[in-house]
Amino acid sequence: MVSVIGVGTWQFGGEWGQQFSQDEVDAILDKAKELGINLLDTAECYGDHLSESFIGSYLSRRNRDEWVVATKFGHHFHERFTRTDHWAAEDVVKQLDASLKALQTDYIDLYQFHSGPDAAFDNDELWTALDKQIQAGKVRHLGTSIGSNENLHQTEASTRVNSSAIQVVYNRLDRAPENQIFPSCVQQDLGVLARVPLASGYLSGKYKPGAVFDETDIRHRHNRESTLKKLQEVENIRHNEVPAGMDMAKWALAWCLKHPAVTTVIPGCKNPAQVEANASAAELISDNHPQAWKD
Ligand SMILES: NC(=O)c1ccc[n+]([C@@H]2O[C@H](COP(=O)([O-])OP(=O)(O)OC[C@H]3O[C@@H](n4cnc5c(N)ncnc54)[C@H](OP(=O)(O)O)[C@@H]3O)[C@@H](O)[C@H]2O)c1
């Protein structure tokens, strides 16, 4: 059972224009806990197991069992914005052990194939090795974080490979999963983690068309023209769809959760105030707030 709002922790790896301290991570996670959030999404390559290490230190001083920890496999981190792919079964098992060590835990709740190619996914040896990790108690559930949000091949194979959740890019600016991915998830009864639910922060409403990012921020590497178009679209959405006075990040997360296929959203958070704003999106999906939607 996961909270409808989780915390995405790519940010803790240092690729979003900010290096984190353990105290800052502790404050974010304590705020999440206080607000009823129990789901953390991390990965092997958010820094070299760095995001996992921050979480691991935190969990070692709190109650591990109160959290659902999702991490991923398939890459080695080298330096900021540089990783290489490593999908061989034996390498993945080594990555799993490194993740367990960094997370200071003896089990991972959800272990996800991290946006790899179909050729890597279609390797039965990999899934057999992962099944053995479940038998050994190191992994509770397998998941697939699809790279393209139209990857029906990997989505449809979920049940066959014993992967019980799909992580997919889904937000008000990118609705592609509604066409084929979500129907397949519903048909197979898969959990769905909507990632990048704020469109990398563009849907927070705080950036205007023409916004420029520091080169230590991943958004510096986004295509400028496409960012401009997204930010112009955000202006339209704010004008036409978001009720006056409503925090747009809150609205954007609730918008994702309105889709019945979506189990949870995992916005990346950089401070406790963002966690608080994001958690408040849950209020809008209760029956008491029909006025949140203009459509
Ligand atoms: N391949 C994969 O599996 C994959 C790929 C991408 C992401 N993910 C996972 O999905 C998570 C979420 O995606 P994401 O972090 O890329 O994008 P996102 O959640 O759409 O955007 C995160 C950014 O939005 C801003 N933000 C967050 N809450 C806010 C609020 N309440 N008000 C204003 N701004 C707010 C923050 O940046 P600023 O404050 O600097 O604007 C934050 O860094 C990641 O952390 C990661 O765990 C997985």
Side-chain angles (χ1 to χ4, degrees):
M1 294 292 286
V2 297
S3 48
V4 290
I5 317 282
V7 177
T9 68
W10 178 5
Q11 284 66 17
F12 298 171
E15 294 181 316
W16 285 75
Q18 181 181 339
Q19 298 299 312
F20 283 79
S21 68
Q22 187 66 53
D23 284 348
E24 287 168 330
V25 169
D26 288 358
I28 287 172
L29 300 184
D30 275 342
K31 178 55 77 179
K33 180 83 191 75
E34 179 194 321
L35 296 170
I37 291 173
N38 71 352
L39 174 66
L40 301 177
D41 180 71
T42 183
E44 79 294 4
C45 63
Y46 297 163
D48 184 7
H49 296 277
L50 177 60
S51 167
E52 290 179 332
S53 298
F54 280 129
I55 294 168
S57 166
Y58 176 84
L59 293 176
S60 74
R61 290 172 282 115
R62 302 291 194 278
N63 189 348
R64 158 72 181 97
D65 294 341
E66 290 178 351
W67 292 91
V68 175
V69 180
T71 191
K72 315 190 189 82
F73 60 85
H75 308 90
H76 287 189
F77 175 92
H78 298 286
E79 57 183 313
R80 189 187 285 142
F81 309 130
T82 310
R83 319 70 180 111
T84 46
D85 281 14
H86 296 268
W87 300 105
E90 65 210 31
D91 201 326
V92 168
V93 173
K94 282 188 197 145
Q95 291 170 44
L96 170 61
D97 287 336
S99 289
L100 289 168
K101 191 169 172 211
L103 286 163
Q104 300 193 39
T105 183
D106 50 14
Y107 68 95
I108 282 159
D109 296 279
L110 181 65
Y111 200 42
Q112 303 162 103
F113 179 86
H114 195 172
S115 301
D118 290 347
F121 185 94
D122 290 339
N123 172 13
D124 284 344
E125 258 179 48
L126 171 65
W127 297 101
T128 303
L130 288 166
D131 191 51
K132 284 189 185 144
Q133 307 313 307
I134 296 179
Q135 304 308 324
K138 293 182 181 179
V139 169
R140 296 213 161 150
H141 303 277
L142 299 172
T144 306
S145 183
I146 50 177
S148 151
N149 62 0
E150 294 177 293
N151 191 322
L152 194 58
H153 175 76
Q154 292 179 18
T155 305
E156 283 187 327
S158 294
T159 304
R160 181 175 63 76
V161 300
N162 191 28
S163 171
S164 50
I166 288 291
Q167 185 180 134
V168 58
V169 172
Y170 181 58
N171 60 56
R172 176 59 189 83
L173 295 182
D174 190 343
R175 307 178 64 163
E178 292 173 2
N179 301 329
Q180 291 185 288
I181 301 300
F182 286 168
S184 176
C185 293
V186 169
Q187 190 253 325
Q188 296 177 81
D189 195 23
L190 307 177
V192 172
L193 295 84
R195 77 168 187 259
V196 199
L198 296 173
S200 307
Y202 302 141
L203 268 170
S204 69
K206 69 186 172 192
Y207 298 114
K208 301 290 164 229
V212 177
F213 294 88
D214 186 271
E215 62 183 18
T216 61
D217 189 316
I218 185 71
R219 291 168 289 194
H220 183 76
R221 302 167 79 89
H222 290 176
N223 178 287
R224 289 244 167 129
E225 228 166 276
S226 118
T227 301
L228 179 64
K229 278 199 192 128
K230 284 181 185 173
L231 289 171
Q232 285 165 343
E233 177 68 4
V234 168
E235 298 279 284
N236 289 336
I237 293 168
R238 185 219 296 276
H239 185 68
N240 297 321
E241 298 178 38
V242 183
M246 180 167 304
D247 178 79
M248 192 162 178
K250 172 177 177 166
W251 177 89
L253 297 177
W255 182 91
C256 298
L257 288 166
K258 270 205 316 167
H259 195 290
V262 174
T263 313
T264 182
V265 288
I266 48 168
C269 297
K270 290 169 106 174
N271 53 55
Q274 288 187 349
V275 177
E276 196 158 6
N278 296 339
S280 74
E283 294 163 9
L284 299 183
I285 54 164
S286 82
D287 294 341
N288 302 331
H289 286 79
Q291 73 276 18
W293 312 109
K294 285 186 177 176
D295 57 358

